[in-house]
Amino acid sequence: MHRFTLAVLLALHSPLFAANTESYKVIGPITQHFQDWLARNGYKDDFVRADNAGTQGSYGGKTDDSQKVTKTPVIFIHGNSDAALRQGFGRNDNIGWENTIDYFLKHGYTSVRMLQFKYFSNALILNSHFRPNSMRRHGVTLIRLTLLPGEYYSLFCFQRSISKLCSSLELFVLRTHDCATTQRLRRFLEAVIAYTGADQVSMVTHSMGVTLGRKIIKGGKITANDGNCDLGVPIRVVDVFVGLSGGNYGLCNCEGVDTMEPTCNKQDGLWPGDSCGMNYLDCGLTVLPFPCSGPTYSKFLTDLNNDMQQEAKRLVSGWSDSDDLIMYGTITWGKSTCLIPRSTDKKASLRYSRILETAICFQTYVTYTHMETKELTYEDQYNWVNRIN
């Protein structure tokens, strides 16, 4: 069996420009060898993603045919509020999977084992955290501006009390699990498997990358806002799947939100449902006033969770009580939205591990933010995919 690690970092977006890449720990893009292979094999997608990200829109691949596959490929998929690799050192600049790749490189992996690309088109983005309800509850007005018709929306926030731009200006891009995105990711996953010739691959995913990653493995039909599509049969060669801070049951900040907001829509978005039993618009409560079971939530997520096809031989879920994007201690109608159904391993905070009473592995992420569950857990990620713990 080939043992090759391929870190496929899938960039949802990139900032307007990148800083001097000489100071970055990891520099892309994917190698010319992999680019040539993609072209020879009929892949027309732009997996280099150099448009706004320069070298940081992709990474990895062989330098020539002499390089051998030595470890199981590891495919990394980031989320809606991140990038593939570091693209600046500013307060609002994302670092992508830089820490993880750097750690893997220092522990025996090479660039031939790690690949990534930016799978959305250009957008002006500083930080794409989408928290509509939390903003409204704290006196913030959202103004939507169209950047590219039908695809990009920027949300500038203004505090009513001081009538000026919020101190931490955020530009939001509203993504969904649409056909265009999932099909493109599926093609890349298939390309990685064919390019490496590996008998198995592993995947480490974060945030929206969790649900996107799960779907491209499971395959099957999607009914999305951009049409209907079929990703094909399940991919059954995934050894380890790690899902960090995913919204598997939706986000409570999306409850009660107008379905015109793409990320929160009821079809292929992160809508958690507005009610569960007699509970209404309170999905984030740790203790619900009334009994609750079987809430109606996003069709995409419902279909995904009801699909009994296991994503991988080992399925790991991880999250933090202090997640500042998901909020509510990650609770959605009485359970953590970050817990992937049928997980074999759970890495969570102490509180939720005790509630679940099913944790095979244990890791405390009590103080980590949403992004830190990816940026600071690189050692755990390495250990998981290499089955060290």
Side-chain angles (χ1 to χ4, degrees), residues 70-219:
T70 59
K71 291 183 181 293
T72 299
V74 180
I75 301 170
F76 295 89
I77 309 179
H78 73 67
N80 189 25
S81 53
D82 203 356
L85 290 174
R86 178 181 291 279
Q87 296 176 12
F89 290 94
R91 179 174 178 270
N92 290 309
D93 288 322
N94 295 306
I95 72 170
W97 293 96
E98 180 185 75
N99 287 350
T100 296
I101 290 185
D102 182 58
Y103 186 86
F104 275 55
L105 288 172
K106 290 176 179 176
H107 288 78
Y109 286 73
T110 64
S111 63
V112 66
R113 306 167 185 171
M114 294 183 280
L115 298 159
Q116 65 175 319
F117 82 100
K118 160 174 145 10
Y119 55 90
F120 280 116
S121 301
N122 295 350
L124 301 175
I125 299 165
L126 296 178
N127 191 333
S128 64
H129 291 342
F130 183 52
R131 291 170 288 181
N133 272 11
S134 64
M135 288 182 175
R136 288 168 180 160
R137 290 167 186 164
H138 291 84
V140 174
T141 300
L142 301 180
I143 299 178
R144 184 169 64 196
L145 302 177
T146 301
L147 291 181
L148 295 176
E151 185 172 5
Y152 293 104
Y153 298 85
S154 287
L155 297 181
F156 290 85
C157 55
F158 295 84
Q159 292 181 335
R160 295 192 188 101
S161 59
I162 56 178
S163 299
K164 66 179 182 180
L165 282 173
C166 297
S167 57
S168 59
L169 178 63
E170 295 179 296
L171 297 178
F172 297 84
V173 65
L174 310 183
R175 309 296 192 188
T176 67
H177 305 88
D178 58 26
C179 285
T181 303
T182 52
Q183 287 178 314
R184 190 177 184 199
L185 294 180
R186 171 73 175 216
R187 287 192 295 271
F188 190 71
L189 173 58
E190 293 170 342
V192 168
I193 294 171
Y195 175 65
T196 62
D199 296 327
Q200 63 182 19
V201 297
S202 291
M203 295 177 68
V204 181
T205 62
H206 178 250
S207 193
M208 197 176 196
V210 176
T211 42
L212 286 168
R214 291 178 60 204
K215 184 58 182 176
I216 64 173
I217 293 172
K218 289 175 177 285

Side-chain angles (χ1 to χ4, degrees), residues 117-370:
F117 82 100
K118 160 174 145 10
Y119 55 90
F120 280 116
S121 301
N122 295 350
L124 301 175
I125 299 165
L126 296 178
N127 191 333
S128 64
H129 291 342
F130 183 52
R131 291 170 288 181
N133 272 11
S134 64
M135 288 182 175
R136 288 168 180 160
R137 290 167 186 164
H138 291 84
V140 174
T141 300
L142 301 180
I143 299 178
R144 184 169 64 196
L145 302 177
T146 301
L147 291 181
L148 295 176
E151 185 172 5
Y152 293 104
Y153 298 85
S154 287
L155 297 181
F156 290 85
C157 55
F158 295 84
Q159 292 181 335
R160 295 192 188 101
S161 59
I162 56 178
S163 299
K164 66 179 182 180
L165 282 173
C166 297
S167 57
S168 59
L169 178 63
E170 295 179 296
L171 297 178
F172 297 84
V173 65
L174 310 183
R175 309 296 192 188
T176 67
H177 305 88
D178 58 26
C179 285
T181 303
T182 52
Q183 287 178 314
R184 190 177 184 199
L185 294 180
R186 171 73 175 216
R187 287 192 295 271
F188 190 71
L189 173 58
E190 293 170 342
V192 168
I193 294 171
Y195 175 65
T196 62
D199 296 327
Q200 63 182 19
V201 297
S202 291
M203 295 177 68
V204 181
T205 62
H206 178 250
S207 193
M208 197 176 196
V210 176
T211 42
L212 286 168
R214 291 178 60 204
K215 184 58 182 176
I216 64 173
I217 293 172
K218 289 175 177 285
K221 297 179 180 179
I222 298 176
T223 301
N225 287 330
D226 63 343
N228 302 327
C229 56
D230 191 335
L231 299 185
V233 300
I235 291 177
R236 302 180 185 275
V237 297
V238 182
D239 182 38
V240 179
F241 183 96
V242 178
L244 301 171
S245 304
N248 298 287
Y249 295 94
L251 303 180
C252 284
N253 280 326
C254 284
E255 69 175 358
V257 173
D258 189 332
T259 55
M260 289 297 291
E261 304 292 2
T263 296
C264 291
N265 83 80
K266 298 180 180 181
Q267 190 68 36
D268 59 0
L270 293 169
W271 181 60
D274 293 338
S275 64
C276 184
M278 296 178 64
N279 303 284
Y280 181 71
L281 295 183
D282 52 8
C283 90
L285 294 181
T286 302
V287 179
L288 293 166
F290 305 101
C292 169
S293 64
T296 299
Y297 57 105
S298 162
K299 183 182 186 316
F300 175 90
L301 296 177
T302 300
D303 292 345
L304 183 67
N305 294 332
N306 288 342
D307 184 346
M308 299 302 292
Q309 169 70 30
Q310 190 82 351
E311 290 86 347
K313 297 174 185 176
R314 186 187 193 194
L315 186 57
V316 182
S317 296
W319 64 90
S320 169
D321 271 352
S322 302
D323 193 301
D324 59 334
L325 189 152
I326 297 175
M327 303 173 70
Y328 308 104
T330 77
I331 285 291
T332 300
W333 300 119
K335 59 179 174 292
S336 174
T337 191
C338 302
L339 177 60
I340 302 171
R342 298 170 291 280
S343 291
T344 58
D345 299 70
K346 292 88 176 176
K347 294 279 188 173
S349 69
L350 178 63
R351 176 159 60 93
Y352 288 129
S353 290
R354 285 178 175 169
I355 288 175
L356 292 169
E357 295 182 350
T358 58
I360 297 173
C361 300
F362 179 81
Q363 178 67 47
T364 301
Y365 297 145
V366 175
T367 61
Y368 284 179
T369 65
H370 185 74

Side-chain angles (χ1 to χ4, degrees), residues 14-16 18 21 49-58 87 118 122:
S14 64
L16 180 58
T21 58
R49 309 308 295 150
D51 40 16
N52 261 1
T55 62
Q56 304 305 90
S58 58
Q87 296 176 12
K118 160 174 145 10
N122 295 350

